[in-house]
Amino acid sequence: MDPGTAIAISSLCAKVVSIIGKYYLDVQDAKSNVALLAHEVQTFGHVVREIAELSDAKHRLPVSTSLRSAMNEALSDAQSLQSQLDPGKTGKAMKRLGRRAFTWPFTKKEVEEWVARFQRLTAIFNLALTTDQSSILVDVDTKVTDLHERQMAAERERLLGKLPFAASASFDSYPRQHETGCLEGTRVDLLQQLERWSVAHERPIFWLSGMAGTGKSTIARTLATRLKSQGLLGGNFFFSRASGEANNAARLAGTLARQLARSSPDLEKSICEAFASDEDVIRRGMRNQWKELIVTPLSTSGDCSHNPLNIVIDALDECDSDDDIRLILRLFTEIQDSKNVDLGIFITSRPEVVIRLGFDSMPEIIHQKLDLRDIPRHVMEHDISVLLDRESDSMRLQHQLRDWPSEDDKLSLLQRSNCLFIYAKTACRYIGDLDWDPKERLAEILHGTSTIGGATSQLDEMYMHVLKQALTADRSAADAAQLCDRLKHLVGSIVVLLDELPILALADFLSMTPTSVDAALRRLHSVLNIPPDETSPIRMLHPSFHDFVLDESRCEDQRFYVDEKAAHSKFARHCLSNVLNVKAEHMSSTSGLITEIRSFFQKDFLHWLEMMSLMGKMSHAVLMITQLLEIVTRDEQQGTELLVEDARRFILFNRAAIEEAPLQTYASALVFSPSESLIRKCYMDQLPTWLTTVPAVERTWSACFQTLKTSFKPIVAFSPDGKYLASTSDCSVNSRGDIQIWEAATGGLHSTIVGGSRREKHVYFALTFLPDGSLAVLSDNGELWVWELITGAGRCVADPKVGAIAFSWDRKKSVLSVTFMDDLAVLCWDSVIRIWSRETETSSELSIPGHAKVDRFECLLQERLVLSAVRDDDSNTSDLILFDCRSSTIQTVTTFNTWKLPFTVSSNDIIAWSTDKGQIWLFDSITGTLSELGVHMGGVSTLALCPGGRNLVSSGQDGTLILWNVAGKSQAFLGTCLDRCRCRSIAISPNGKQLATKTTLAEVQLWDLASTKAQTDSRAVESRIWELLFSPCGSVLAAVSCRGDASEVKIYHPTKHQPKFTLSGGPWRPTLSMFSPDSQQLAALGRRGAVRLWNLHTGRSASFLSSEEGYASALAFSSDGNRLALGDATGNIRVWDLKAGTMVYELKHSHKINEMMFSSNGERLVSITATSFEEPNVVAMWNTTSKQLLYHAKQSIWPTPCSPFLHKVTISPDNRYLVWAAIEDTLEIHDTQNQQQTSLPCKSSALTSNMAFRSDSKAIAFSYTDAIEIWDIEVAELVQIVPIRSHCQNLSFSPDGSYLETDYGRISICQAAEDTRHDPISNRSRWHYSQGWIWESSRKMMKLSQGLDPHHVAHHDGLFAFWDRLHGVRYLGFTQGEVVADDIQEN
């Protein structure tokens, strides 16, 4: 509708009302009728005016057809009414004659008709308007719903796109587009059987096995095609030895999960929800991926039982890992747990031993088998004859032949195929080559004789014939020899490649031209799929050709036999010059490649390492370098072995940082590697330009070669073969206390075992590996579980709730430790040792005469135990006992009076223990010989004997590790554990080469027990650090440390590693240090209440302040640095004039002073007290001039870790407002002028880290861990929310209040803050430290080494000072120029 029509009607109505108004004044006898009509016309005019406004260009309401017709009718009626009411010239003439100007033209009935007409139009307009508005609302709701659905669909696409996916593993992928299915009329009965199974899975797993060349993949491809057309295909994975992404199981779970999501909306939703809840699952082992991405979604999705789904797995035997094959088969059995989806899995493979055993271990009720060898021979021959007939028809057409081949020839070819489809296909391709006479080629095959016995003899003869014809036909001897070498090189490269390559890439790798490659392979189309497109990959037509050329017993002609080891070696030379996609297999036999290897590590290593991280193959990278290290020979002149070893240490040491952000390869990894690292020296010129100061680092690699991020639980254990390391994880929101299995060689997370039988959170007291490689775990609820590492299957062998074994557990008597002999031993608080027999699954109890409680035990050979036991409950005396389980006799080895005795045993029955003084003793349990090994200064927390007892590792109470030679009684210093924490658990690998240590920190450290020569005992390096802080102007750095009760303060010039001078603190421990605002003085508060004050120019103690009535407990400088407030434990506050050295006034509080602060102008002093964390704090504000108490009340204020209360309290610049973050999640604002208090709601006062006032005191900003909020105090309104990534350590308003100065740059007030990268007003970079990273504004720039203490960090203008446990102060400096470009942040 044109809004002009509505406007015209509205104008007409106004005119009509005006005319009617004139009648009302002149007409005497019809006023009620006039007024009634005027009211209806006016009402109608208002409705039309609203429609006109809603129909303009801004609103543009849709208009219904009824409204358009009613509008036209209304316009006509309004015009008619106007013409009838307007008196025109007649009225004017009559008025000049003195007669009444207006005579009402309507009767009462006519007025009622007009009123009814306008009421009807008004009703129509209102109804149409309501209908249109409802239509808009419905449309808006539809659009919002549609938008939400599109957003959810986009999010699901994002999640599915992140899943690891093997595109080439799909049966209908581009590389497989030319692979055909079963011919019509072949495999009829078998395919019908499979289709019946696919719609009714009586047994959910179907295994089709057969020898190479029997058509398994063709059957799988045909079945997958039919299932897809019927909507019954859930997913498929076609393994292929020749494909880098389809020859392993790394992408199996992700690929199947994505395909299942595409098959069903319900499954898509369930899979995406499961993945969204834990996106890191794709970095874990296959078992975790299968459970989270397949099993759980299948169990939680909607009821899809009416629509069965199938997964097709082809060529499982071509998976490159037997362990993965075992695990895959085990995982497939878990589909029976899904009740919502009828899912079947069809598997094809050769009958390899690992697969046969896997199926033999499955319950028969869930799987069925069919071996193609069991199909009658006449059925197989019929199907092959159909193939030969079709191929014969094609060859006759192509070669224009008639009556060829004869039935006898086809029968002979059928018999020679020996039921192998691959033979028939290869023969037909060979015979039908357009460059040759098919009759001659057929005769060659039929008249050939095989000299090779066995089931593959006919196929081997076929392959040999194809190769000979490609080389020798119509060629001179010299040409044939040259072509033979070239072809052997090409074929050898193709068969050993893990990835299929096109002609162009293969030629580039082998330094050949594409033309020469094409010419050499031209006559091998019968065994190779060589596409005309040079960018498409070359593929073997069947894996049997791969087996043939690599088997010397089958490939009799040495001209064609490919030595796999030599082929790898030759291909490695080309790989090293083309470092992308280097494969470990090509490096495992490298010889004579010293120059290429050195060049790679010196020029391309970091780029390759970055790419391996991006591809998620860091474990593969470690294995590759390790394999290369094993085969390179020592070269004293070139130092190749040292270079490769340095590269291996570089990866292991920096793996965590590089995996988290690959670009840290060029930043953190280079910066924190040792100064003598060969890799660091080669690439130091590639350090980022924004890094201005590089920290001091160790000179050489330490014995600790890797740190694994685990949990705070101190339990670690090596598997018997040394391949795996087990550790426990925390009970957190997202974890139930799981068990992490690590690859010892690479540090990669192999898998995670979900602990416990219920969805409960568990704490583990002990874990140990059994001799067969399974893992035994004891939890806090008394359950004993045994887990298989490969399959991840576990079972509870002792559960007090289900009574699996009658152990008589008591939840109050938690399990302490577990170990094993031939059986499994378990220890409880009640000191009763129970021996569980794995063979009979029964238990027996052992009692220790004369002892009340057993603390710990370990097992020796010949069923003997070593126990640490307390004699009685009232005694501190304990014994180390040798207990014979068979005779129940005991032998006391030693007696001690400490709470626990560190002891260990070795495989040759040597017992070692340590006294509380650190003396280490050895006892030979066979001979009874006792000898002292040595003393570990400071005391021992844990001991571990290496296998065989030749070496021993002791961990000190201060975290130091010492390796002892038992025979020579010599020692070598290994290093110091993180944060100097004492070890709670030590494990030594079975080969005695690796050591795993676990403190109470969330890391496991791995140590090389051979790297002890160049280590320095760090116990003499530094005392324990308490505080590290820059002065306000940044010119001075103070490091406050102590040893025992003695303390000292070292003063450094920034970037200098040696202190300018050391301030003696005396016999007391500092608890708080503070610079004066002018950076001239340093005050330190001691634990016993004494206060030291130093002059930083002279380094002398200016004064020693103390409280007369109680220990000093808090201090604060005034803003000008002239006064120092000192609060004590009795509530007294004394304010000192530092220039005069006298106390100027004293204030009295009610409780111990915890915190104090001066206002910016020094006119106010705020004090905070707390009797306990349970009681509210007492907050007081004083006028420092009048000494008047302005405010005093009990308030609950959240403390912060670094400064318990000060960061939660602030004073406005005009001294009017006192603000604090209350424990009730509010910001409390006290107006001292009006004595009023206002509460502002805040997100979480516990997470509030900083507050700042605007200069006019009318606005305040405060930061959380993820946002900054700005409030207008006068009206108590939230002005702005700015999202951030972490705590904002620096927060202040600009002088004019137009922006905030933050760690993330300058933020304009009231600026739309959808992105944390705010438009900078200055070109200065904003650097800060948080969560182990150095940040520039909102971007992570450098990951810090785990050797740096994250709790003691000082920062000023881009210069960071950290405390290193071994080297003291270390510095990192960053540019203060223009903001760093976007492309250098973390990946």
Side-chain angles (χ1 to χ4, degrees):
M1 185 199 73
D2 183 6
T5 304
I7 294 173
I9 296 174
S10 179
S11 299
L12 279 174
C13 289
K15 292 179 181 179
V16 169
V17 171
S18 177
I19 295 172
I20 294 176
K22 295 177 182 180
Y23 279 104
Y24 186 81
L25 296 174
D26 292 339
V27 175
Q28 299 298 322
D29 57 352
K31 285 187 178 292
S32 61
N33 291 335
V34 173
L36 179 61
L37 182 60
H39 173 73
E40 290 301 330
V41 173
Q42 188 175 28
T43 301
F44 178 70
H46 287 321
V47 173
V48 175
R49 172 63 66 180
E50 290 181 11
I51 292 177
E53 292 175 353
L54 292 174
S55 300
D56 64 10
K58 292 183 178 179
H59 304 284
R60 191 60 68 192
L61 272 176
V63 180
S64 63
T65 304
S66 61
L67 183 58
R68 290 191 182 95
S69 60
M71 195 68 71
N72 295 330
E73 181 183 351
L75 179 61
S76 176
D77 287 348
Q79 290 171 343
S80 174
L81 182 60
Q82 181 187 25
S83 65
Q84 293 183 49
L85 287 173
D86 191 354
K89 298 179 179 179
T90 303
K92 296 178 181 178
M94 292 175 65
K95 195 169 185 178
R96 285 196 298 269
L97 295 173
R99 297 177 64 184
R100 187 174 297 278
F102 296 101
T103 300
W104 182 243
F106 301 125
T107 65
K108 182 179 180 180
K109 182 178 181 180
E110 289 174 332
V111 170
E112 291 176 350
E113 290 177 352
W114 277 109
V115 169
R117 181 176 298 178
F118 279 109
Q119 286 179 342
R120 182 179 63 82
L121 289 171
T122 300
I124 292 174
F125 280 22
N126 282 328
L127 179 60
L129 187 60
T130 302
T131 302
D132 287 343
Q133 289 175 331
S134 299
S135 174
I136 290 175
L137 292 177
V138 171
D139 184 57
V140 169
D141 183 64
T142 301
K143 289 182 178 178
V144 170
T145 302
D146 182 61
L147 177 61
H148 177 70
E149 290 178 352
R150 289 201 302 268
Q151 289 175 336
M152 293 300 293
E155 175 63 11
R156 289 194 293 268
E157 284 298 321
R158 182 191 71 82
L159 290 170
L160 294 177
K162 288 187 65 176
L163 292 174
F165 185 72
S168 64
S170 179
F171 80 96
D172 55 357
S173 62
Y174 179 81
R176 299 177 183 271
Q177 61 182 322
H178 300 299
E179 296 177 354
T180 60
C182 297
L183 297 177
E184 185 177 355
T186 63
R187 306 291 195 183
V188 176
D189 293 339
L190 175 57
L191 290 174
Q192 289 178 351
Q193 178 185 358
L194 294 177
E195 288 187 358
R196 288 194 300 271
W197 167 84
S198 67
V199 296
H201 303 116
E202 294 181 2
R203 299 181 183 182
I205 301 176
F206 196 117
W207 178 34
L208 179 69
S209 65
M211 301 301 293
T214 53
K216 300 181 299 298
S217 295
T218 304
I219 296 170
R221 192 159 43 250
T222 304
L223 179 63
T225 303
R226 295 186 180 183
L227 292 175
K228 184 176 182 180
S229 66
Q230 299 167 12
L232 302 178
L233 183 64
N236 70 98
F237 199 99
F238 280 48
F239 284 96
S240 174
R241 186 185 291 116
S243 172
E245 62 181 8
N247 66 358
N248 60 80
R251 295 177 174 87
L252 176 64
T255 300
L256 294 180
R258 188 192 294 195
Q259 293 170 343
L260 283 169
R262 303 297 188 202
S263 67
S264 164
D266 287 337
L267 281 177
E268 181 182 48
K269 180 181 178 182
S270 298
I271 290 171
C272 290
E273 288 177 351
F275 185 34
S277 66
D278 184 12
E279 294 190 26
D280 287 335
V281 71
I282 60 177
R283 297 182 178 88
R284 302 195 187 105
M286 183 167 53
R287 179 173 184 81
N288 298 93
Q289 294 184 32
W290 183 263
K291 180 177 181 181
E292 298 300 327
L293 299 178
I294 304 293
V295 176
T296 299
L298 287 174
S299 302
T300 59
S301 63
D303 187 4
C304 303
S305 57
H306 62 281
N307 185 23
L309 290 175
N310 298 272
I311 292 175
V312 178
I313 305 295
D314 180 54
L316 180 60
D317 56 285
E318 295 196 33
C319 179
D320 62 358
S321 168
D322 285 352
D323 286 345
D324 284 348
I325 292 175
R326 294 188 191 95
L327 178 56
I328 289 170
L329 294 176
R330 180 76 186 209
L331 295 178
F332 284 168
T333 64
E334 296 181 3
I335 63 170
Q336 61 181 325
D337 299 330
S338 173
K339 306 301 182 184
N340 296 335
V341 180
D342 180 13
L343 183 67
I345 300 180
F346 176 72
I347 305 169
T348 73
S349 75
R350 300 182 190 183
E352 304 292 357
V353 173
V354 63
I355 300 177
R356 294 202 314 271
L357 293 177
F359 277 101
D360 288 343
S361 64
M362 285 186 194
E364 291 188 4
I365 195 172
I366 68 169
H367 81 280
Q368 63 187 93
K369 307 175 185 177
L370 177 60
D371 194 329
L372 289 176
R373 292 174 294 183
D374 295 335
I375 295 178
R377 185 178 183 88
H378 72 273
V379 175
M380 298 288 291
E381 290 181 345
H382 168 268
D383 291 343
I384 294 177
S385 67
V386 173
L387 169 65
L388 293 177
D389 287 341
R390 176 175 171 176
E391 293 296 330
S392 297
D393 293 342
S394 176
M395 287 186 287
R396 279 198 302 268
L397 182 62
Q398 291 177 348
H399 291 271
Q400 299 181 357
L401 298 174
R402 298 180 63 183
D403 301 329
W404 178 91
S406 67
E407 292 299 322
D408 290 340
D409 288 343
K410 285 195 291 184
L411 180 59
S412 298
L413 196 57
L414 175 61
Q415 292 173 346
R416 293 181 68 85
S417 68
N418 196 25
C419 295
L420 293 177
F421 275 86
I422 186 58
Y423 181 93
K425 286 185 177 181
T426 304
C428 290
R429 289 176 66 93
Y430 177 75
I431 296 168
D433 194 325
L434 293 176
D435 294 333
W436 297 87
D437 184 350
K439 294 181 179 180
E440 293 181 358
R441 289 210 155 188
L442 176 58
E444 292 172 1
I445 293 176
L446 296 181
H447 293 97
T449 57
S450 174
T451 60
I452 308 173
T456 62
S457 59
Q458 299 293 339
L459 183 61
D460 295 346
E461 182 181 350
M462 169 62 67
Y463 285 146
M464 185 66 71
H465 191 80
V466 170
L467 290 172
K468 287 181 177 179
Q469 286 296 318
L471 287 178
T472 59
D474 301 327
R475 297 183 185 276
S476 64
D479 291 343
Q482 183 180 1
L483 181 59
C484 182
D485 292 338
R486 183 184 302 171
L487 189 61
K488 188 173 183 177
H489 181 35
L490 283 168
V491 172
S493 299
I494 292 172
V495 297
V496 300
L497 267 174
L498 294 187
D499 290 302
E500 298 161 348
L501 293 180
I503 288 179
L504 287 177
L506 186 63
D508 184 54
F509 256 82
L510 302 180
S511 302
M512 299 173 65
T513 64
T515 304
S516 60
V517 172
D518 182 63
L521 300 178
R522 186 177 301 160
R523 297 187 177 184
L524 292 179
H525 283 264
S526 53
V527 292
L528 297 176
N529 183 1
I530 307 171
D533 180 8
E534 292 183 340
T535 61
S536 298
I538 301 172
R539 306 184 67 225
M540 286 179 292
L541 289 175
H542 197 268
S544 58
F545 181 67
H546 168 279
D547 301 337
F548 169 73
V549 295
L550 295 181
D551 189 340
E552 191 172 8
S553 65
R554 293 175 60 187
C555 186
E556 291 182 322
D557 194 329
Q558 289 296 311
R559 294 178 302 167
F560 308 119
Y561 163 66
V562 174
D563 185 329
E564 187 174 9
K565 183 176 181 180
H568 279 304
S569 177
K570 198 168 187 179
F571 199 79
R573 185 184 302 274
H574 301 286
C575 288
L576 287 171
S577 61
N578 301 272
V579 294
L580 302 183
N581 296 322
V582 167
K583 301 297 179 182
E585 288 81 355
H586 302 315
M587 302 174 72
S588 62
S589 305
T590 306
S591 60
L593 300 178
I594 299 301
T595 302
E596 290 87 343
I597 291 173
R598 291 183 61 84
S599 176
F600 163 69
F601 283 105
Q602 292 170 351
K603 296 179 180 179
D604 300 305
F605 174 66
L606 290 195
H607 313 309
W608 170 79
L609 190 57
E610 177 194 358
M611 176 168 291
M612 296 299 284
S613 176
L614 286 169
M615 293 189 298
K617 294 186 176 182
M618 287 296 289
S619 292
H620 194 57
V622 176
L623 289 176
M624 290 167 54
I625 300 301
T626 302
Q627 290 176 4
L628 182 61
L629 179 63
E630 291 174 354
I631 52 107
V632 294
T633 56
R634 181 177 300 278
D635 189 332
E636 296 182 358
Q637 293 182 350
Q638 295 179 332
T640 305
E641 184 180 8
L642 296 177
L643 180 61
V644 178
E645 169 61 15
D646 191 79
R648 187 183 73 89
R649 293 298 303 269
F650 185 90
I651 299 177
L652 291 173
F653 183 75
N654 298 295
R655 173 171 181 165
I658 297 174
E659 274 191 317
E660 184 174 353
L663 285 182
Q664 291 302 304
T665 307
Y666 311 96
S668 176
L670 283 178
V671 166
F672 294 108
S673 294
S675 59
E676 294 300 317
S677 164
L678 300 177
I679 296 297
R680 173 183 163 120
K681 288 182 177 181
C682 290
Y683 295 95
M684 278 298 284
D685 59 341
Q686 298 191 25
L687 281 176
T689 57
W690 37 263
L691 183 63
T692 59
T693 303
V694 177
V697 293
E698 295 188 35
R699 190 177 66 85
T700 59
W701 294 109
S702 68
C704 178
F705 62 85
Q706 193 167 17
T707 302
L708 308 177
K709 188 69 175 179
T710 57
S711 72
F712 293 94
K713 300 296 181 293
I715 310 174
V716 290
F718 276 102
S719 62
D721 57 6
K723 292 174 59 177
Y724 302 109
L725 177 73
S727 67
T728 55
S729 64
D730 285 323
C731 294
S732 61
V733 175
N734 297 320
S735 172
R736 293 179 299 278
D738 301 335
I739 303 159
Q740 295 169 319
I741 308 298
W742 305 85
E743 296 172 351
T746 67
L749 182 61
H750 176 267
S751 60
T752 300
I753 296 176
V754 179
S757 57
R758 305 162 185 86
R759 299 196 65 84
E760 300 175 355
K761 294 182 178 181
H762 295 286
V763 176
Y764 297 109
F765 283 108
L767 61 81
T768 187
F769 280 95
L770 303 182
D772 63 359
S774 56
L775 182 66
V777 183
L778 286 158
S779 66
D780 58 342
N781 65 351
E783 290 181 346
L784 171 61
W785 280 74
V786 176
W787 299 87
E788 297 179 19
L789 291 195
I790 294 178
T791 65
R795 62 192 185 98
C796 181
V797 298
D799 187 346
K801 301 176 184 61
V802 301
I805 297 177
F807 264 82
S808 302
W809 298 98
D810 186 342
R811 288 189 61 87
K812 296 181 180 179
K813 300 174 182 178
S814 301
V815 179
L816 282 180
S817 68
V818 59
T819 186
F820 59 87
M821 295 179 292
D822 296 326
D823 291 329
L824 188 70
V826 180
L827 174 68
C828 299
W829 270 109
D830 56 4
S831 79
V832 177
I833 298 177
R834 295 174 173 85
I835 305 297
W836 171 66
S837 172
R838 300 186 66 198
E839 182 178 355
T840 63
E841 295 196 355
T842 58
S843 64
S844 58
E845 294 186 0
L846 300 178
S847 60
I848 309 301
H851 293 82
K853 184 173 67 175
V854 177
D855 290 325
R856 180 173 160 237
F857 69 89
E858 289 195 24
C859 295
L860 295 174
L861 300 177
Q862 300 175 354
E863 298 185 23
R864 292 184 299 167
L865 299 178
V866 179
L867 307 118
S868 169
V870 180
R871 291 185 179 178
D872 56 71
D873 293 331
D874 298 327
S875 171
N876 292 327
T877 302
S878 299
D879 295 322
L880 188 63
I881 299 170
L882 187 61
F883 182 82
D884 192 316
C885 299
R886 294 169 297 183
S887 62
S888 297
T889 58
I890 64 174
Q891 174 186 354
T892 300
V893 177
T894 185
T895 300
F896 55 97
N897 294 318
T898 57
W899 178 56
K900 283 189 176 182
L901 181 77
F903 72 91
T904 185
V905 299
S906 68
S907 58
N908 61 344
D909 288 354
I910 298 294
I911 305 173
W913 74 90
S914 173
T915 67
D916 56 349
K917 302 297 184 181
Q919 291 176 304
I920 301 175
W921 292 85
L922 301 176
F923 178 76
D924 190 323
S925 64
I926 304 298
T927 64
T929 305
L930 178 67
S931 62
E932 182 180 1
L933 180 62
V935 179
H936 190 134
M937 299 300 296
V940 174
S941 64
T942 315
L943 293 170
L945 275 163
C946 294
R950 293 186 300 273
N951 295 307
L952 178 142
V953 176
S954 61
S955 170
Q957 298 288 347
D958 56 357
T960 54
L961 296 170
I962 293 179
L963 178 65
W964 301 82
N965 183 295
V966 173
K969 297 187 178 182
S970 60
Q971 60 175 286
F973 181 73
L974 280 175
T976 305
C977 295
L978 291 174
D979 274 352
R980 296 178 180 269
C981 293
R982 63 188 181 94
C983 286
R984 300 289 300 277
S985 177
I986 286 182
I988 299 178
S989 62
N991 61 7
K993 294 182 179 180
Q994 288 188 18
L995 169 72
T997 60
K998 186 71 178 69
T999 66
T1000 53
L1001 298 179
E1003 290 91 12
V1004 169
Q1005 289 180 278
L1006 297 178
W1007 305 77
D1008 183 353
L1009 293 182
S1011 300
T1012 58
K1013 295 181 179 179
Q1015 304 304 313
T1016 303
D1017 192 335
S1018 64
R1019 286 173 292 184
V1021 176
E1022 288 292 346
S1023 303
R1024 182 175 181 181
I1025 188 71
W1026 281 94
E1027 277 190 287
L1028 195 65
L1029 61 162
F1030 274 109
S1031 62
C1033 66
S1035 61
V1036 174
L1037 176 72
V1040 184
S1041 61
C1042 67
R1043 183 191 294 271
D1045 284 335
S1047 65
E1048 62 183 14
V1049 181
K1050 293 185 177 181
I1051 302 299
Y1052 296 83
H1053 280 310
T1055 73
K1056 301 296 184 181
H1057 297 280
Q1058 296 300 322
K1060 178 182 178 182
F1061 47 74
T1062 299
L1063 310 175
S1064 175
W1068 55 284
R1069 285 190 175 187
T1071 58
L1072 175 65
S1073 302
M1074 183 181 298
F1075 279 101
S1076 62
D1078 59 4
S1079 302
Q1080 300 300 310
Q1081 298 182 89
L1082 176 69
L1085 177 62
R1087 178 170 293 180
R1088 296 179 180 176
V1091 177
R1092 292 273 189 177
L1093 188 66
W1094 289 278
N1095 184 307
L1096 296 182
H1097 283 294
T1098 63
R1100 296 179 180 178
S1101 177
S1103 57
F1104 186 91
L1105 308 178
S1106 63
S1107 172
E1108 297 178 1
E1109 298 183 10
Y1111 288 138
S1113 56
L1115 54 86
F1117 277 102
S1118 63
S1119 58
D1120 58 7
N1122 293 329
R1123 294 192 174 185
L1124 178 67
L1126 180 65
D1128 63 25
T1130 62
N1132 293 321
I1133 301 176
R1134 293 179 173 83
V1135 180
W1136 297 75
D1137 185 321
L1138 298 181
K1139 290 185 177 180
T1142 60
M1143 185 183 71
V1144 292
Y1145 59 86
E1146 183 176 359
L1147 305 172
K1148 183 65 178 178
H1149 212 308
S1150 56
H1151 298 286
K1152 174 185 175 181
I1153 307 298
N1154 289 85
E1155 300 280 346
M1156 294 185 297
M1157 64 176 298
F1158 281 95
S1159 62
S1160 57
N1161 58 9
E1163 296 180 359
R1164 300 288 186 269
L1165 177 66
V1166 175
S1167 63
I1168 304 171
T1169 70
T1171 56
S1172 68
F1173 279 100
E1174 290 78 14
E1175 295 293 329
N1177 314 100
V1178 179
V1179 180
M1181 185 165 74
W1182 313 78
N1183 185 316
T1184 58
T1185 303
S1186 64
K1187 317 303 182 293
Q1188 178 185 0
L1189 181 63
L1190 302 178
Y1191 177 78
H1192 183 276
K1194 288 187 175 182
Q1195 301 292 341
S1196 297
I1197 304 176
W1198 271 107
T1200 61
C1202 54
S1203 182
F1205 302 104
L1206 276 183
H1207 287 192
K1208 304 302 175 85
V1209 180
T1210 189
I1211 307 171
S1212 63
D1214 62 1
N1215 297 327
R1216 177 176 176 178
Y1217 299 105
L1218 175 64
V1219 181
W1220 63 89
I1223 203 168
E1224 295 85 2
D1225 286 343
T1226 59
L1227 272 185
E1228 300 297 326
I1229 302 176
H1230 180 73
D1231 187 338
T1232 59
Q1233 181 175 316
N1234 300 326
Q1235 295 302 314
Q1236 295 179 347
Q1237 188 160 318
T1238 305
S1239 297
L1240 302 180
C1242 64
K1243 184 177 180 181
S1244 173
S1245 56
L1247 301 178
T1248 305
S1249 60
N1250 220 335
M1251 294 187 287
F1253 265 102
R1254 198 167 63 192
S1255 59
D1256 61 2
S1257 301
K1258 296 181 179 180
I1260 188 172
F1262 55 95
S1263 64
Y1264 302 124
T1265 55
D1266 59 355
I1268 297 173
E1269 290 188 2
I1270 303 173
W1271 287 79
D1272 186 318
I1273 288 185
E1274 291 186 327
V1275 296
E1277 287 185 356
L1278 180 63
V1279 176
Q1280 186 175 354
I1281 299 178
V1282 181
I1284 57 177
R1285 293 189 180 183
S1286 183
H1287 284 291
C1288 186
Q1289 300 172 351
N1290 301 301
L1291 182 67
S1292 63
F1293 281 89
S1294 64
D1296 61 357
S1298 62
Y1299 58 85
L1300 280 176
E1301 287 277 11
T1302 72
D1303 293 337
Y1304 302 95
R1306 292 181 176 179
I1307 302 172
S1308 298
I1309 306 300
C1310 295
Q1311 167 185 306
E1314 296 179 356
D1315 189 0
T1316 56
R1317 297 190 192 179
H1318 311 285
D1319 295 332
I1321 300 178
S1322 80
N1323 62 353
R1324 288 172 59 82
S1325 295
R1326 306 292 174 181
W1327 299 92
H1328 63 282
Y1329 167 79
S1330 177
Q1331 300 172 340
W1333 280 85
I1334 301 293
W1335 299 65
E1336 194 277 322
S1337 294
S1338 61
R1339 298 170 295 179
K1340 293 179 179 179
M1341 303 302 289
M1342 179 169 287
K1343 177 78 172 178
L1344 293 186
S1345 168
Q1346 291 182 334
L1348 299 180
D1349 188 345
H1351 304 297
H1352 298 105
V1353 182
H1355 169 227
H1356 187 273
D1357 277 352
L1359 181 63
F1360 292 84
F1362 298 88
W1363 187 259
D1364 183 276
R1365 306 173 188 85
L1366 301 180
H1367 303 92
V1369 177
R1370 297 170 76 174
Y1371 300 94
L1372 269 172
F1374 300 87
T1375 180
Q1376 286 297 294
E1378 295 186 1
V1379 176
V1380 183
D1382 290 343
D1383 59 353
I1384 49 74
Q1385 65 176 327
E1386 88 283 4
N1387 296 75

